[in-house]
Amino acid sequence: MSGDNLPPPSSVINMYKANGIPLMRIYAPDQAALQAASGTGIRVVVGAPNDVLSTLAASPAAAASWVRNNVEAYYPSVSFRCICVGNEVSGAAAGDLVPAMENIRAALAAAGLENIKVTTSVSQSILGGYKPPSAADFTDEAQGFMGPVLDFLARTGAPLMASVYPYFTYAYNPSAMDLSYALFTAPGTVMQDDSYGYQNLFDETVDSFYVAMGKHGGDGVTLVVSESGWPSAGGVAASPENARIYNQNLINHVGKGTPRHPGAIETILFSMFNENLKEDGVEQNWGLFYPNMQRVYPISFN
């Protein structure tokens, strides 16, 4: 939604329906988007953005007001998948995550909406660089907040959401691996890790999260990929063809699961549109569609 030339929410929802896209993630409550999604059956992940985190953590009343205005007001016409409290929070603000999540969860329960799960979304950077899944762990900084976060998620039966971007791992050091490993096009096993063979970087990253989660009380917590995609311009290996290959292969692949975790991986593509208000380079070019609603490249969501 970081664009000044995007179509109205009603048109966007029609695009979702026409393409058979069953879920939408918005990073902050948006009245027009929520109204447009009402009655469609499209499930919605709605974010409580980082700039309200400290208020939600400090004040149960503020959390109750946030839930009343942004969830209750649209329920049950909007089918909420979950509430994502904070996005890729780091530093001192991460200390507010669990208190804010607790207050939002209590407010949902008080409203009779305890069936709506509360989670947060983390960046793959908390894995602290590229290593085999068997050696995966969170960075020292992330270990400080991920233990309490995973405890909350395990206790409440909620998933952890995480951004998984093979593009960034590849683009950081293109000489370190063949592009095919990032694009799901490697012909066979590229990385053998104990008894597990990896044919693509996406699976390797997802399993790295699972191993790290298991080291910090997250056994039994499910991972939802809250963002994944490939840019069509603006940087190394960024082209419509590579973006098409990655995203189509991702769609075709996630139903199968990973070597360590067979079974479908709920995955959200980033993003619906190219966004002209993002910084120059790849950031403006993650969209599956141009703002004029034309496809950037052909893709099937089935």
Side-chain angles (χ1 to χ4, degrees):
M1 297 174 84
S2 299
D4 59 13
N5 55 355
L6 298 174
S10 56
S11 300
V12 177
I13 291 297
N14 285 336
M15 294 172 69
Y16 269 74
K17 291 194 282 196
N19 286 284
I21 303 171
L23 182 142
M24 173 176 78
R25 181 183 180 196
I26 51 177
Y27 289 77
D30 182 89
Q31 184 178 20
L34 288 166
Q35 286 173 342
S38 292
T40 62
I42 293 169
R43 295 186 307 151
V44 178
V45 176
V46 65
N50 295 357
D51 59 5
V52 300
L53 206 56
S54 59
T55 305
L56 296 176
S59 168
S65 173
W66 192 92
V67 164
R68 194 163 51 247
N69 295 334
N70 300 309
V71 183
E72 270 188 274
Y74 302 97
Y75 186 88
S77 329
V78 171
S79 175
F80 289 97
R81 165 67 181 91
C82 61
I83 310 301
C84 185
V85 177
N87 183 55
E88 301 186 354
V89 178
S90 60
D96 288 329
L97 274 175
V98 171
M101 291 159 74
E102 292 279 16
N103 284 343
I104 290 288
R105 181 168 179 263
L108 287 166
L113 301 176
E114 55 275 313
N115 59 312
I116 301 173
K117 299 297 185 185
V118 178
T119 183
T120 189
S121 180
V122 296
S123 164
Q124 74 178 24
S125 65
I126 70 168
L127 291 172
Y130 180 72
K131 54 181 84 70
S134 58
D137 204 348
F138 299 129
T139 61
D140 289 348
E141 181 205 314
Q143 287 182 31
F145 63 85
M146 284 307 293
V149 164
L150 289 165
D151 174 71
F152 172 89
L153 299 175
R155 188 161 31 89
T156 61
L160 176 67
M161 302 186 89
S163 303
V164 174
Y165 280 111
Y167 174 77
F168 285 127
T169 307
Y170 174 78
Y172 178 73
N173 186 5
S175 63
M177 71 181 69
D178 194 85
L179 180 61
S180 64
Y181 189 54
L183 290 176
F184 296 95
T185 54
T189 297
V190 172
M191 214 251 326
Q192 191 68 36
D193 184 38
D194 297 337
S195 60
Y196 302 100
Y198 288 89
Q199 201 166 335
N200 66 79
L201 185 52
F202 177 87
D203 283 356
E204 191 187 326
T205 309
V206 168
D207 278 352
S208 290
F209 264 109
Y210 270 119
V211 170
M213 289 158 64
K215 291 176 179 175
H216 298 279
D219 275 333
V221 175
T222 301
L223 190 78
V224 169
V225 176
S226 53
E227 294 181 24
S228 194
W230 197 281
S232 61
V236 58
S239 67
E241 179 63 2
N242 284 345
R244 182 192 69 78
I245 291 169
Y246 178 83
N247 281 323
Q248 189 66 69
N249 283 336
L250 179 69
I251 289 166
N252 298 347
H253 175 76
V254 292
K256 304 183 181 83
T258 69
R260 280 176 164 85
H261 282 265
I265 309 156
E266 187 175 350
T267 301
I268 304 172
L269 290 175
F270 188 87
S271 61
M272 192 68 174
F273 295 104
N274 283 348
E275 300 172 291
N276 68 345
L277 298 180
K278 292 275 184 79
E279 62 191 71
D280 284 346
V282 293
E283 288 304 312
Q284 295 193 1
N285 295 289
W286 293 89
L288 300 169
F289 296 90
Y290 294 111
N292 67 4
M293 303 195 288
Q294 298 300 305
R295 293 173 187 267
V296 178
Y297 42 84
I299 194 162
S300 166
F301 299 97
N302 298 322

